[in-house]
């Protein structure tokens, strides 16, 4: 066992919208990701998804509202709820993600942004 330095892990990658696994907790995975711009509309039919913002402001668009999530805040997207994360003004946002190992990056959608294999850092 050892402590995980989040800032050190964030310095190891630049790729946007590509989660990097930093830990596994039971059947959940903990990821770090950097977001900038728009992602895609998607949902996870069987898994909740937790986003904790470390830097910047994340906007989570739902079909009926948009919620802003600032540093030190988190949002849980319940299973089955369509969502589309995005950032504004070209701001890079750093996020810690928690989700089950069974969760697929873009739900059932397969796009050029879909990540099938996560990098451990």
């Amino acid at each position: 066992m050892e402590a995980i330095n989040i800032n050190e892990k964030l310095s190891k990658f630049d790729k946007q919208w590509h989660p990097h696994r930093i830990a596994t907790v039971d059947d959940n995975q903990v990821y770090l990701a950097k977001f900038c711009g728009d992602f895609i509309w998607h949902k996870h039919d069987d898994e909740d998804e937790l986003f904790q913002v470390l830097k910047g402001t994340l906007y989570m668009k739902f079909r009926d509202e948009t919620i802003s999530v600032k540093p030190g805040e988190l949002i849980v997207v319940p299973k089955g709820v369509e969502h589309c994360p995005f950032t504004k003004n070209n701001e890079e946002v750093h996020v810690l993600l928690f989700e089950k190992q069974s969760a697929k990056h873009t739900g059932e959608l397969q796009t050029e942004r879909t990540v099938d294999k996560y990098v451990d850092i």
Side-chain angles (χ1 to χ4, degrees), residues 17-97:
W17 301 106
H18 192 288
H20 291 71
R21 187 175 26 238
I22 61 168
T24 301
V25 180
D26 291 327
D27 66 342
N28 294 288
Q29 301 191 77
V30 182
Y31 301 107
L32 286 174
K34 296 178 180 179
F35 297 166
C36 188
D38 295 321
F39 197 51
I40 60 168
W41 280 100
H42 67 286
K43 65 180 179 157
H44 305 275
D45 288 330
D46 300 313
E47 302 92 7
D48 296 336
E49 195 172 23
L50 183 149
F51 297 78
Q52 180 182 1
V53 175
L54 305 172
K55 173 187 164 193
T57 300
L58 175 66
Y59 296 88
M60 190 64 69
K61 195 174 350 179
F62 299 100
R63 291 298 180 184
D64 60 347
E65 68 178 324
T66 298
I67 297 174
S68 64
V69 188
K70 297 180 170 108
E73 297 179 338
L74 61 85
I75 187 168
V76 175
V77 178
K79 63 183 122 222
V81 174
E82 275 190 295
H83 58 287
C84 181
F86 68 99
T87 70
K88 292 183 179 178
N89 303 318
N90 223 22
E91 177 181 34
E92 183 174 82
V93 176
H94 296 177
V95 177
L96 191 66
L97 297 148

